[in-house]
Amino acid sequence: MIKAELNRVAVIVKDVEAAAKEFEEMFGITFYGPYRDDHVGVDVALPRHGGFEMMSPNRPDDGVMATQKLAEKGEGITGIAMRVDDLDEMKAHLAKFGLEPDLEFSHGKMREMIFYASEKTHGVEIAINEFPDANGCAIEVARDMGYDPR
């Protein structure tokens, strides 16, 4: 049986460092990063806890269209990320519904596929992650970007 659980909410901001600092001060949410992810084209701060991922584009052709979303809608929630045990199984399952990932990548042991917002996803961008630890996405990206969270 396919099962996915909500892991985090993605928020696009103009300045990831300032936004992460403000959320830490306002709500006590702490982050790994921000890190420069040149593969996707965003600077990203990932949650140590708190469930928010902050990102801002670091080039106009970023892989998650953050530049265009900021220009069209401004800052705000862009999508959700869900964790699964088997990314390949989920990919095959979603293909039965006509969904093919728009972007796939990995950081260490974390694998991710992203489905851009569409009619099939009811206007929500959805990231599907597979990772071993409870907060493995953030930990694996942090490790991949040179930080050892131990």
Side-chain angles (χ1 to χ4, degrees), residues 21-124:
K21 183 178 179 190
E22 289 168 0
F23 267 56
E24 183 172 351
E25 290 171 359
M26 288 189 290
F27 305 112
I29 297 171
T30 57
F31 296 89
Y32 292 109
Y35 301 108
R36 184 176 179 91
D37 187 338
D38 288 322
H39 175 73
V40 179
V42 296
D43 295 334
V44 62
L46 291 153
R48 290 179 187 258
H49 69 82
F52 278 93
E53 172 184 336
M54 301 282 185
M55 72 179 90
S56 58
N58 63 33
R59 65 175 198 252
D61 65 338
D62 64 273
V64 294
M65 299 186 296
T67 302
Q68 293 86 346
K69 290 173 188 170
L70 274 173
E72 292 171 13
K73 298 179 182 177
E75 295 182 315
I77 294 173
T78 182
I80 61 171
M82 301 194 312
R83 178 184 182 192
V84 297
D85 291 330
D86 187 326
L87 193 74
D88 296 320
E89 179 182 30
M90 179 58 91
K91 184 177 180 179
H93 175 74
L94 293 175
K96 296 175 191 174
F97 295 90
L99 287 169
E100 294 294 327
D102 294 294
L103 182 64
E104 294 183 68
F105 59 93
S106 62
H107 284 287
K109 296 177 185 175
M110 186 278 291
R111 297 172 56 211
E112 181 167 86
M113 60 184 173
I114 296 176
F115 300 87
Y116 296 151
S118 69
E119 200 171 301
K120 288 188 183 275
T121 64
H122 299 276
V124 177

